[in-house]
């Protein structure tokens, strides 16, 4: 599918979509409670579909209603379990330890893009603790039951490895520890995990910056009044729209959230845009932007849209620690640089840094690289380009935000999708 976008003044009010990061974790915790749990304030996406697929394969049923999921246990014995993670790295890295903690034998599959995502560090740790795994990438077969003990895991590739262990180890019979080796990337996602676990009655003690104590034989509580908070990651695109185009208000954003991508607000303010906060709503208005220097170690998902802000700012902006962008849904560093070049924006990579020279975004034809954030990045950029733009393979946006272009139109975007 292709989107053709005519630049236009945009703005208005829009509700933030529910946080995918919270929804993944809450659905899996609901499953592990062994009780019927109702989760409110949710919307569908390909990634959440992947987690629901795995819950159904392992455990029971998930009833889908408007803005609501109901996770239900069943007594039906599961044979020939297939865990289809589609393209969701979160689902894959969370479900592997959980399935093994439950002692399930499963085939684990996913699409080609997911097969290329790093996994071996996690698989090796699981093998060291009782798992039998027949390959180092998808598709693979897993069996055995995880044993409690000391888990040492590389934290420099993905925080999702740590989250998977945190979800699984509490249900083992004895205590365990998690020691993170190397620098921890995307550490705010670990805080999201701990936040959700605490709500479900699971205790994990942080010993120091790189280690955790996990008591065994814990029970996930059957919680009620569960509501998924708004997603700062996807709200970032609309907040950037306000800074670049016309005044935009994004509603239902929780300001005490531990979501790391809440940092987008500080970035926008540091670049000079006007920001007003009214309750749980944020209003961003366009002003002349200036260059900044940021570190993307803990906020890699913000980089596509931040790169557009930088492309429209005066001067040379710098993003540090960009090498980790190479192992996202695509080589996101290469994708950002290539697409900005097609927009008429100069970039340069040097020693784990990306330099972006601000200018005027010109008419472009870019590809999504099968990356949802690259679709949304290009759509926001197209709204302020000098002429009509096209984005190819926009179906990638279904991964996290299937209704993105509907909301884009609500805010005044002129887009033809076909």
């Amino acid at each position: 599918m292709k989107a053709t976008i005519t630049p236009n003044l945009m703005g208005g009010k829009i509700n933030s979509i529910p946080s995918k990061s919270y929804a993944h974790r809450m659905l899996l915790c609901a499953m592990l409670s062994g009780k019927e749990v109702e989760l409110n304030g949710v919307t569908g996406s390909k990634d959440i579909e992947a987690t629901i697929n795995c819950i159904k394969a392992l455990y029971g049923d998930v009833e889908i209603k408007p803005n609501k999921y109901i996770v239900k246990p069943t007594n039906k014995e599961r044979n020939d379990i297939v865990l289809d993670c589609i393209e969701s790295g979160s689902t894959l890295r969370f479900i592997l330890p959980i399935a093994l903690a439950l002692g399930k034998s499963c085939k684990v599959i996913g699409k080609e893009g997911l097969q290329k995502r790093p996994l071996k560090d996690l698989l090796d740790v699981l093998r060291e603790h009782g798992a039998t795994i027949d390959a180092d990438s998808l598709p693979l077969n897993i069996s055995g039951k995880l044993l409690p003990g000391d888990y040492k895991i590389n934290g420099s590739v993905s925080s999702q490895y740590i989250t998977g262990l945190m979800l699984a180890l509490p249900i083992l019979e004895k205590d365990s520890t998690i020691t993170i080796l190397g620098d921890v990337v995307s550490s705010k996602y670990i805080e999201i995990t701990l936040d959700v676990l605490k709500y479900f009655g699971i205790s994990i003690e942080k010993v120091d910056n790189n280690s955790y104590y996990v008591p065994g034989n814990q029970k996930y509580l059957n919680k009620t009044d569960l509501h998924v908070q708004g997603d700062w990651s996807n709200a970032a695109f609309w907040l950037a729209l306000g800074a670049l185009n016309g005044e935009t208000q994004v509603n239902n954003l929780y300001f005490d959230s531990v979501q790391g991508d809440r940092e987008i607000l500080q970035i926008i303010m540091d670049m000079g845009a006007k920001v007003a906060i009214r309750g749980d709503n944020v209003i961003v208005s366009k002003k002349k932007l200036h260059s900044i220097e940021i570190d993307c170690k803990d906020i890699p998902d913000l980089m596509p849209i931040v790169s557009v802000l930088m492309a429209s700012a005066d001067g040379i902006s710098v993003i540090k620690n960009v090498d980790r962008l190479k192992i996202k849904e695509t080589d996101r560093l290469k994708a950002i640089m290539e697409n900005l070049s097609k927009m008429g924006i100069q970039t340069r990579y040097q020693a784990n840094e990306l330099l972006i020279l601000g200018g005027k975004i010109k008419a472009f034809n870019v590809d999504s690289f099968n990356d949802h954030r690259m679709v949304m990045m290009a759509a926001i950029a197209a709204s302020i380009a000098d002429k009509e733009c096209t984005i190819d393979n926009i179906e990638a946006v279904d991964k996290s935000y299937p209704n993105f272009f509907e909301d884009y139109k609500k805010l005044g975007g002129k887009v033809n999708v076909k």
Side-chain angles (χ1 to χ4, degrees):
M1 296 175 63
K2 175 187 291 188
T4 302
I5 297 176
T6 302
N8 190 48
L9 178 63
M10 294 178 63
K13 298 179 181 179
I14 199 77
N15 292 327
S16 62
I17 65 171
S19 166
K20 183 163 62 78
S21 297
Y22 268 86
H24 279 302
R25 291 159 173 79
M26 294 171 82
L27 283 165
L28 291 170
C29 288
M31 176 190 78
L32 290 168
S33 77
K35 305 290 184 180
E36 182 172 312
V37 176
E38 187 175 291
L39 185 60
N40 297 289
V42 290
T43 55
S45 68
K46 284 293 184 182
D47 277 7
I48 296 302
E49 178 186 335
T51 292
I52 290 174
N53 284 348
C54 292
I55 290 173
K56 289 181 176 180
L58 279 175
Y59 169 77
D61 189 28
V62 179
E63 184 180 354
I64 300 175
K65 294 186 174 183
N67 298 313
K68 180 187 299 185
Y69 294 154
I70 304 172
V71 183
K72 299 179 178 181
T74 72
N75 295 320
K76 183 179 179 181
E77 186 66 26
R78 296 291 199 267
N79 297 311
D80 300 321
I81 298 173
V82 177
L83 303 177
D84 185 359
C85 300
I86 312 178
E87 291 183 304
S88 173
S90 296
T91 303
L92 174 62
R93 292 158 175 168
F94 297 170
I95 208 66
L96 282 168
I98 290 173
L100 290 163
L102 295 170
K104 302 294 186 181
S105 296
C106 313
K107 182 174 183 178
V108 187
I109 63 174
K111 290 191 174 181
E112 182 180 358
L114 189 59
Q115 295 171 19
K116 298 176 181 178
R117 302 285 291 275
L119 195 61
K120 189 174 186 300
D121 286 335
L122 177 60
L123 298 179
D124 285 347
V125 170
L126 298 176
R127 289 181 178 117
E128 291 169 3
H129 293 83
T132 299
I133 305 171
D134 69 350
D136 289 332
S137 61
L138 297 184
L140 48 81
N141 295 288
I142 64 173
S143 60
K145 184 171 174 59
L146 277 191
L147 302 174
D150 299 325
Y151 286 73
K152 294 181 172 61
I153 185 74
N154 181 5
S156 65
V157 177
S158 175
S159 66
Q160 292 168 353
Y161 295 167
I162 295 99
T163 286
L165 294 175
M166 286 180 167
L167 292 169
L169 298 185
I171 66 174
L172 302 184
E173 292 182 357
K174 295 182 179 179
D175 302 349
S176 299
T177 61
I178 301 172
T179 301
I180 305 172
L181 307 176
D183 290 335
V184 184
V185 297
S186 301
S187 60
K188 288 294 184 179
Y189 287 98
I190 298 174
E191 292 187 32
I192 292 175
T193 304
L194 293 170
D195 190 36
V196 174
L197 286 171
K198 183 178 179 181
Y199 196 78
F200 279 86
I202 298 298
S203 173
I204 293 181
E205 178 184 345
K206 187 173 184 178
V207 179
D208 55 42
N209 286 337
N210 293 305
S211 62
Y212 297 85
Y213 171 69
V214 186
N217 204 29
Q218 297 189 63
K219 305 293 184 184
Y220 280 80
L221 300 179
N222 173 25
K223 299 297 293 185
T224 57
D225 299 324
L226 288 172
H227 193 92
V228 180
Q229 59 181 252
D231 183 60
W232 281 93
S233 300
N234 283 312
F237 293 92
W238 304 132
L239 296 172
L241 179 71
L244 294 167
N245 194 317
E247 183 174 283
T248 304
Q249 175 174 317
V250 185
N251 302 325
N252 303 322
L253 290 171
Y254 181 47
F255 289 94
D256 290 331
S257 174
V258 298
Q259 293 179 57
D261 287 346
R262 188 180 60 168
E263 184 68 17
I264 185 63
L265 205 58
Q266 189 63 52
I267 292 171
I268 287 173
M269 289 190 289
D270 287 346
M271 294 189 77
K274 182 180 177 182
V275 175
I277 298 172
R278 297 175 184 170
D280 60 356
N281 306 327
V282 182
I283 303 168
V284 180
S285 304
K286 179 180 177 180
K287 287 189 72 176
K288 193 172 185 64
L289 302 181
H290 54 77
S291 60
I292 59 168
E293 181 177 299
I294 63 171
D295 189 326
C296 77
K297 177 183 174 184
D298 288 326
I299 50 172
D301 290 341
L302 289 181
M303 291 311 100
I305 190 56
V306 167
S307 72
V308 176
L309 289 166
M310 291 176 166
S312 303
D314 286 341
I316 300 174
S317 294
V318 180
I319 307 175
K320 295 184 174 181
N321 282 312
V322 294
D323 284 353
R324 65 175 270 85
L325 298 177
K326 298 175 182 179
I327 55 171
K328 301 298 288 182
E329 282 80 346
T330 184
D331 181 341
R332 197 171 276 170
L333 175 60
K334 177 182 177 182
I336 288 171
M337 293 181 69
E338 183 172 321
N339 282 357
L340 286 181
S341 177
K342 291 180 178 179
M343 296 174 189
I345 301 300
Q346 296 182 45
T347 65
R348 185 171 81 244
Y349 170 81
Q350 60 179 34
N352 202 15
E353 294 182 351
L354 177 62
L355 282 64
I356 299 174
L357 175 61
K360 171 63 178 175
I361 292 177
K362 299 178 181 179
F364 58 80
N365 181 359
V366 298
D367 189 78
S368 73
F369 292 87
N370 197 33
D371 187 326
H372 54 136
R373 299 193 194 281
M374 297 306 297
V375 177
M376 295 184 279
M377 161 199 175
I380 300 302
S383 76
I384 58 167
D386 60 356
K387 294 180 183 178
E388 184 178 272
C389 304
T390 59
I391 312 167
D392 293 322
N393 299 309
I394 62 167
E395 57 271 19
V397 81
D398 293 344
K399 179 178 173 67
S400 67
Y401 200 162
N403 294 328
F404 174 79
F405 282 106
E406 293 178 24
D407 287 349
Y408 190 84
K409 291 177 181 178
K410 289 178 183 177
L411 291 171
K414 291 187 175 181
V415 54
N416 180 31
V417 174
K418 61 181 180 180

